Amino acid sequence: MSPSGTRPRVVLGVTGGIAAYKACELLRRLTESGHDVTVVPTASALEFVGAPTWAALSGKPVQTSVWESVHEVPHVRIGQEADLVVVAPATADLMAKAAHGLADDLLTNTLLTARCPVVFAPAMHTEMWEHPATRANVETLRARGAVVIEPAEGRLTGKDTGKGRLPDPAAIFETAVQVLERGVEGQDLAGRHVVVSAGGTREYLDPVRFLGNRSSGLQGYALARAAVARGARVTLVAANVTLPDPAGVDVVRVETTAQLRDEVVRRAAQADAVVMAAAPADFRPVAASESKIKKASDGSAPPLALEQNPDILAEISADRQRGGQVVVGFAAETGDATGSVLELGQAKLARKGCDLLVVNDVGGGAVFGAEENDVVILGADGTSVDVERGSKTSVAHAIWDQVARRFVM
């Protein structure tokens, strides 16, 4: 709820791009979840979706000009009263105006007067997104604390395909809600680049079979989404995950531990934080068969020679190419005769050399594929934080709280 105890007040800015029709779905999700939404389209946006549509879906009259209802001073009032501003789609033109403080219509005036969190969901052709002018404007907006969601890759207008597609409205909605909940002070990862790994690797025995594990990637994906909501630029290295791509995240897909290692090490060189939430296989076959391994006629099992995979967490912890980088590992433990879950986690923290280790008790198959989690976050500085059971999103924010704390230490 907003500070006044009323429904959260959201301004939905819509600009003139073909993706404007997708904002109707975002508006529906916002209104049906109890938000008080004011739609502020640009004049060009109305060329794609008319004012009656926005008025019907929001339950409010739609204004585009500063000259309408002048006595209510809408160019100042709308921004001042907002708890969140979301611009979706955000064109290159709109972001250029916002970055340089131009205010030639109601939406750009609203952006200048707003003191609440602002989320931009860009949509444009790849060449426009990659142009140095647009990249500079995006960095300026992010440096000021705005959340600029990375566009998705896919089909654009005409026959073109590439990066610049508006993310799925459901994903934009999820990001917007997290930003709204955290408020202006919650953008503590603004200007940071973080790398997150997720999922479980596969080590192929033959063209059909592989060694793998039960990691679903849910916690890693929650970490990626939470980092976007806190203002970070996020690279997600996903190993065999079937979940939808999180909005605003650059997703790199891998299968094996060797591939995971190569991508994480390469991208960690320019990252402020690396969170190894993936579950890499500890071992791989010495040699994979080029053909399917057949059953033996006598019922015996074929021999399986294994070798150890590279230790990615230990490697990136020991060889940090960026000063002040924070490295986070995960430990899925069950406890055994050698020690309890926490004792094994503390030993792993010392052995790997990372800054934080998130310890999961996975006895009986708990955690894998579940919507909720509870963890203990161990710090190399001797700290220990118990995170009570909750959604994997809440656990993700607890982890980022500890990362952000170390950025300012």
Side-chain angles (χ1 to χ4, degrees):
M1 302 292 285
S2 63
S4 64
T6 60
R7 291 187 298 158
R9 295 160 298 192
V10 178
V11 173
L12 175 58
V14 186
T15 65
I18 188 63
Y21 76 93
K22 294 183 179 180
C24 295
E25 171 67 12
L26 176 59
L27 172 57
R28 184 186 67 79
R29 288 178 177 272
L30 287 166
T31 55
E32 290 186 356
S33 57
H35 298 83
D36 179 359
V37 186
T38 299
V39 182
V40 182
T42 63
S44 56
L46 296 180
E47 298 291 331
F48 293 93
V49 181
T53 298
W54 301 121
L57 291 175
S58 68
K60 289 185 173 184
V62 172
Q63 296 175 262
T64 62
S65 170
V66 297
W67 305 111
E68 297 177 51
S69 304
V70 176
H71 64 288
E72 296 180 354
V73 200
H75 72 291
V76 173
R77 176 183 53 80
I78 293 174
Q80 286 178 333
E81 295 181 352
D83 298 309
L84 175 71
V85 177
V86 182
V87 183
T91 59
D93 177 70
L94 183 282
M95 290 193 296
K97 290 177 178 178
H100 293 279
L102 301 181
D104 61 355
D105 62 8
L106 189 57
L107 179 55
T108 48
N109 273 271
T110 296
L111 289 169
L112 270 184
T113 56
R115 294 299 179 266
C116 59
V118 178
V119 176
F120 294 92
M124 64 196 73
H125 268 68
T126 306
E127 294 83 358
M128 300 174 73
W129 173 253
E130 294 178 347
H131 194 283
T134 302
R135 302 310 303 159
N137 291 332
V138 168
E139 292 308 312
T140 296
L141 292 171
R142 285 174 171 162
R144 292 178 186 156
V147 175
V148 183
I149 301 175
E150 290 284 315
E153 292 190 25
R155 185 70 178 267
L156 305 173
T157 53
K159 298 180 180 179
D160 294 337
T161 300
K163 188 167 186 177
R165 184 181 178 90
L166 186 73
D168 186 81
I172 299 174
F173 169 76
E174 185 174 356
T175 298
V177 169
Q178 289 193 46
V179 171
L180 178 61
E181 289 175 348
R182 293 189 58 78
V184 175
E185 301 302 319
Q187 304 306 298
D188 51 4
L189 298 183
R192 303 285 187 178
H193 175 212
V194 302
V195 173
V196 178
S197 70
T201 60
R202 296 175 177 176
E203 305 299 335
Y204 286 90
L205 304 172
D206 60 23
V208 177
R209 305 177 181 90
F210 59 83
L211 297 174
N213 58 65
R214 298 177 60 187
S215 179
S216 65
L218 285 171
Q219 186 63 75
Y221 273 53
L223 281 157
R225 289 191 297 269
V228 170
R230 297 171 81 130
R233 179 167 68 90
V234 183
T235 300
L236 177 63
V237 184
N240 307 296
V241 181
T242 59
L243 301 170
D245 290 351
V249 173
D250 286 324
V251 180
V252 181
R253 303 194 181 281
V254 298
E255 287 189 283
T256 68
T257 300
Q259 293 169 350
L260 179 68
R261 179 262 170 204
D262 290 346
E263 292 294 345
V264 169
V265 168
R266 180 165 70 89
R267 296 165 192 279
Q270 301 300 320
D272 297 292
V274 182
V275 181
M276 285 293 299
D282 292 325
F283 304 98
R284 64 188 176 200
V286 172
S289 174
E290 294 184 358
S291 58
K292 181 180 177 181
I293 300 172
K294 305 299 189 293
K295 294 181 180 178
S297 58
D298 61 0
S300 63
L304 182 59
L306 301 176
E307 62 183 356
Q308 191 163 303
N309 265 319
D311 190 328
I312 307 170
L313 180 58
E315 180 178 353
I316 60 175
S317 296
D319 185 22
R320 308 191 195 201
Q321 301 180 41
R322 189 177 182 89
Q325 185 181 76
V326 179
V327 177
V328 184
F330 271 65
E333 296 288 355
T334 59
D336 55 30
T338 64
S340 67
V341 168
L342 274 184
E343 289 170 340
L344 293 173
Q346 289 164 341
K348 182 174 182 177
L349 173 64
R351 188 169 67 252
K352 301 293 186 179
C354 51
D355 301 291
L356 295 166
L357 189 75
V358 182
V359 182
N360 274 308
D361 184 343
V362 296
V367 177
F368 295 120
E371 295 295 331
E372 293 188 336
N373 198 1
D374 60 282
V375 303
V376 178
I377 307 173
L378 301 178
D381 55 2
T383 57
S384 178
V385 177
D386 291 309
V387 181
E388 63 182 20
R389 190 162 191 79
S391 69
K392 289 189 173 179
T393 296
S394 64
V395 171
H397 280 295
I399 294 168
W400 287 123
D401 285 344
Q402 296 304 309
V403 172
R405 175 174 169 267
R406 280 154 179 79
F407 282 148
V408 298
M409 289 176 66

